[in-house]
Amino acid sequence: MDLRLLSSFLAVVEEGHFGRAAARLFLSPPAVTQHVRRLESDLGTRLLHRNPVSPTPAGERLARHARTLLAAANAALDDVAEAADRAPFAADRPLRVGIMGHGSAELTPASVNAYRRARPHIAVELRQLDFTEHVSALVEDRVDVAFVRPTPADERVIADVLTTEQRIVAVPESHALADARDTGARLDDITDLPFFRVPGHTPRSFTDYLYFDRAARRRSTHYALTPQEVLTGVVSGRAAGSGLKSFARYYAWPGAVFVPVLDAPRESSYLAVRAADRNPEVQIFRALTLALAKELGPRISE
């Protein structure tokens, strides 16, 4: 059972009001209402009378169980936090979060903010990663967690899927393919686009992702290491770029058009950590991010 749904339900029972429950939980009233509806749907019974707000007999019984379950969950979190506080890491340095491009869209800032609320005494340091740091930032101990794509092909790193999205290409608005921004293109349409270049030490898994497993054959003379450098090449007409669908929400540059690639396999964004890392702060950040991915990920992937 999803503890977030129980928490929202119990807050409504105790406050006797959806709005006050939402304020207590730092959520919007529609979110709390949706949580209660999902819980009622999962259990197959009505849990709350709406006017006025009060628990049904089933709701009263669930409220008793909810208090016990949430108390146990909070005790478990407190125990983990106590262990984390005793770890030398907590006093030595901040949690270093690496972000490639826009990370995992809206999930990235949501994860960072959730961690800051849960662990306010631990500093968080955000570090922007370029395309060559897909694996190296972690294995060289320059970051502790990293939002990357695609999954790193390195046994020293483990990665969790966060979002899965449609692929897009970025072209100048003057390019003929820009007319397909609403209808979409196919892999055969992008083979001759002049995609930007990356340095030779860029990981092969990243270049395969970037060039659609080499379906995109042409390379321009324009080198890029960041999304901003990619788009500089796009709007100047010197290069084409590629990414996930959410890329367009974060990099809406005048002169750049984003075209869905209809038959390209969907790709995922990941949270990557060192396989041997036992730092409790990393484990807490990872757990929070995966919990949020279950809630936000499907919406980002649409």
Side-chain angles (χ1 to χ4, degrees), residues 20-84:
R20 288 195 296 271
R24 167 173 149 183
L25 297 170
F26 301 100
L27 295 173
S28 67
V32 172
T33 300
Q34 184 62 26
H35 285 177
V36 172
R37 286 176 178 167
R38 282 176 55 191
L39 196 56
E40 289 178 327
S41 176
D42 290 346
L43 296 175
T45 187
R46 196 167 187 82
L47 299 172
L48 292 172
H49 299 298
R50 268 35 178 203
N51 291 306
V53 175
S54 63
T56 64
E60 290 177 353
R61 185 169 296 186
L62 179 63
R64 292 195 296 271
H65 291 299
R67 289 188 180 94
T68 300
L69 287 170
L70 291 170
N74 287 332
L77 288 173
D78 288 343
D79 185 59
V80 171
E82 181 182 350

Side-chain angles (χ1 to χ4, degrees), residues 123-182:
V124 177
E125 187 175 287
L126 304 182
R127 299 190 177 183
Q128 199 69 42
L129 304 181
D130 68 38
F131 299 149
T132 69
E133 298 176 296
H134 180 230
V135 174
S136 62
L138 277 168
V139 299
E140 294 172 7
D141 195 26
R142 287 184 276 115
V143 299
D144 301 299
V145 299
F147 290 91
V148 299
R149 72 189 67 83
T151 183
D154 192 303
E155 63 184 9
R156 295 169 294 178
V157 174
I158 57 175
D160 301 295
V161 175
L162 299 181
T163 65
T164 301
E165 301 179 54
Q166 186 180 47
R167 297 298 306 281
I168 58 96
V169 291
V171 297
E173 61 183 358
S174 59
H175 194 280
L177 198 60
D179 292 337
R181 73 182 79 194
D182 296 322

